[in-house]
């Protein structure tokens, strides 16, 4: 008998309507469309507008679409894991708020904080719950409202990030498809290059921290870039090697959308042609925990049962990793 694996059985997604284009950014900071495109690949990003709206509101839209597409009633969901660095509040968990707003009443739920690798971490955790045999329906969400922690006078960061949410359903399967292997890594010493200075227990919010703009993303871009290129490419290659996968075996690479140059470096290391790489950074920018599920959401109709897919990410922490899965269904 085949071992029980966790298969993705549906994908939902949501991006806000408002498009913050490079042309609009040119009017806000000293930058230009050519620089942004050539250094990052981003052309526009979506921004959640509206008083009182947070990450949970985007996630709820993605989860509703997911449940509608899979036909699974909300009250059958047993667990919801939310990956985010922009929770609605410091506590409680945004996952709890998503469940409440979506009408998921019989689940336990919690957040995972692993920045841009959050979705991969959460997917691995959710898969383990399914593999244990104890749970049959787990939702994994990746969501970030990056616009809530970006300084729109800092040209080094405001050009990259955007808002969005994606969600997948995990269910048990015994036909050999599903999540098959993951390598996850972290190195806390990398925090110096990418973090938020205040608002945590070390430096709680004060008038001074607000005036010093310490509640925004602080990033030393070049240093992060170097670690990201090496981290994402190495871990993806390692995952291929230990599972005896060649470039020909792989149908799709789903890379974190942080910078087109990092994506290219990873694809090159894996020897994959561009046609096998999901890229939507030009439309959505870097939505942190939402990039991977938003790619699956956009490409869902092109994915076939049995397709070998590698997801790869690198982000704050540092955190990074790669996951190998076999897609579990044909386009519907
Ligand atoms: O997802 C989480 C993980 N994060 C990442 O993976 C991000 C990794 N880092 C990056 O993607 C890149 O480092 C950035 C896109 C953030 C920056 O690109 P870069 O090629 O590393 O640029 P840089 O910081 O080395 O700056 C090069 C030049 C500088 O000018 P000088 O000193 O050479 O005169 C910057 O001041 O470009 C200047 N610059 C800009 N110019 C126009 C920086 N930002 C901008 C801008 N527009 N927006």
């Amino acid at each position: 008998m085949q071992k029980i694996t966790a298969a993705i059985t549906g994908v939902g997604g949501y991006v806000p309507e408002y498009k913050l284009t490079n042309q609009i950014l040119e009017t806000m900071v000293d930058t230009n469309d050519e620089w942004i495109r050539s250094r990052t690949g981003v052309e526009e990003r979506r921004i959640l507008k509206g008083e009182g709206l947070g990450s949970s509101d985007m996630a709820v839209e993605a989860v509703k679409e997911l449940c509608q597409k899979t036909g699974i009633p909300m009250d059958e969901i047993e667990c919801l894991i939310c990956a985010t660095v922009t929770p609605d509040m410091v506590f409680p968990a945004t996952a709890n708020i998503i469940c409440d707003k979506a009408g998921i009443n019989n689940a336990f739920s919690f957040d995972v904080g692993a920045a841009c690798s959050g979705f991969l971490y959460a997917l691995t955790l959710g898969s383990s719950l399914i593999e244990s045999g104890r749970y049959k329906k787990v939702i994994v969400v990746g969501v970030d409202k990056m616009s809530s922690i970006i300084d729109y006078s800092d040209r080094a960061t405001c050009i990259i990030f955007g808002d969005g949410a994606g969600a997948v359903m995990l269910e048990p399967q015994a036909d050999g498809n599903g999540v098959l292997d993951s390598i996850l890594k972290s190195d806390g010493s990398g925090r110096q290059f990418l973090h938020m200075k205040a608002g945590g227990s070390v430096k709680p919010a004060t008038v001074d921290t607000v005036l010093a703009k310490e509640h925004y993303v602080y990033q030393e871009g070049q240093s992060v870039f170097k670690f990201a290129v090496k981290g994402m490419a190495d871990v993806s290659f390692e995952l291929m090697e230990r599972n005896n996968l060649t470039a020909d075996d792989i149908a799709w690479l789903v890379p974190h959308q942080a910078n087109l140059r990092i994506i290219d470096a990873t694809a090159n290391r894996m020897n994959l042609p561009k046609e096998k790489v999901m890229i939507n950074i030009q439309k959505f920018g870097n939505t942190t925990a939402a990039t991977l599920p938003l790619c699956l959401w956009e490409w869902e109709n092109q994915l076939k049962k049995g397709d070998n897919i590698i997801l790869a990410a690198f982000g704050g922490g540092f955190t990074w990793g790669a996951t190998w899965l076999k897609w579990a269904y044909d386009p519907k």
Side-chain angles (χ1 to χ4, degrees):
M1 202 181 81
Q2 281 269 16
K3 153 178 183 286
I4 290 181
T5 54
I8 294 178
T9 55
V11 191
Y14 176 80
V15 286
E17 260 174 49
Y18 179 77
K19 293 179 184 172
L20 178 59
T21 62
N22 289 352
Q23 288 68 31
I24 298 172
L25 279 171
E26 283 176 356
T27 68
M28 295 162 63
V29 286
D30 180 15
T31 190
N32 60 78
D33 177 51
E34 205 285 314
W35 191 97
I36 304 172
R37 277 174 197 254
S38 60
R39 295 290 180 120
T40 70
V42 187
E43 293 169 24
E44 58 189 37
R45 29 345 255 131
R46 301 300 181 94
I47 303 294
L48 183 64
K49 299 270 186 185
E51 196 71 27
L53 296 179
S55 290
S56 69
D57 298 288
M58 293 189 290
V60 165
E61 295 303 321
V63 166
K64 280 186 179 162
E65 189 193 71
L66 174 66
C67 288
Q68 185 254 320
K69 277 163 77 174
T70 55
I72 296 174
M74 298 285 183
D75 58 7
E76 285 186 17
I77 307 303
E78 296 162 299
C79 173
L80 183 144
I81 309 174
C82 174
T84 187
V85 286
T86 50
D88 282 17
M89 305 171 181
V90 173
F91 77 94
T94 300
N96 307 158
I97 303 172
I98 295 168
C99 287
D100 179 49
K101 288 183 178 174
I104 295 175
N105 300 318
N106 294 320
F108 73 101
S109 52
F110 59 96
D111 287 358
V112 166
C116 300
S117 313
F119 182 77
L120 277 191
Y121 275 47
L123 185 65
T124 303
L125 279 172
S127 298
S128 305
L129 294 176
I130 299 278
E131 285 160 15
S132 76
R134 200 157 162 190
Y135 299 96
K136 307 264 181 298
K137 288 180 176 52
V138 174
I139 291 180
V140 175
V141 175
V143 60
D144 270 299
K145 183 186 170 187
M146 293 306 291
S147 61
S148 65
I149 55 168
I150 292 298
D151 174 4
Y152 284 93
S153 65
D154 173 14
R155 69 177 182 172
T157 49
C158 74
I159 50 133
I160 309 169
F161 293 99
D163 303 339
V168 299
M169 186 74 71
L170 294 178
E171 293 182 85
Q173 205 127 83
D175 64 358
N177 294 316
V179 175
L180 298 179
D181 195 16
S182 270
I183 303 175
L184 301 177
K185 306 203 179 209
S186 57
D187 176 2
S189 68
R191 69 188 181 283
Q192 60 183 303
F193 303 114
L194 182 53
H195 58 262
M196 187 189 290
K197 295 198 177 298
S201 57
V202 168
K203 208 175 197 191
T206 64
V207 170
D208 289 339
T209 62
V210 172
L211 292 176
K213 297 187 169 186
E214 290 180 341
H215 298 273
Y216 293 125
V217 170
Y218 170 85
Q219 176 170 260
E220 293 179 26
Q222 266 189 25
S223 305
V224 179
F225 185 90
K226 282 183 205 143
F227 282 102
V229 164
K230 186 165 165 31
M232 213 161 101
D234 281 358
V235 80
S236 305
F237 189 72
E238 189 185 334
L239 188 69
M240 283 174 75
E241 266 201 330
R242 89 171 182 193
N243 290 290
N244 297 317
L245 293 166
T246 66
D248 286 342
D249 297 324
I250 293 166
W252 294 100
L253 167 66
V254 190
H256 174 49
Q257 313 281 309
N259 188 313
L260 196 50
R261 292 180 289 149
I262 301 174
I263 296 173
D264 287 345
T266 305
N268 286 341
R269 181 79 196 282
M270 297 168 75
N271 208 15
L272 286 181
K274 244 200 161 120
E275 307 79 67
K276 290 187 172 185
V277 185
M278 296 186 192
I279 298 173
N280 58 14
I281 192 173
Q282 71 282 2
K283 292 194 294 186
F284 302 146
N286 180 352
T287 53
T288 303
T291 59
L292 299 181
L294 278 177
C295 281
L296 294 176
W297 179 59
E298 282 220 299
W299 268 264
E300 188 188 16
N301 284 335
Q302 296 180 54
L303 306 180
K304 292 190 278 308
K305 194 170 179 172
D307 276 355
N308 284 305
I309 298 179
I310 305 270
L311 300 100
F314 185 95
F318 290 138
T319 56
W320 66 107
T323 293
W324 168 39
L325 58 85
K326 273 188 188 285
W327 197 248
Y329 56 96
D330 285 319
K332 286 171 183 156

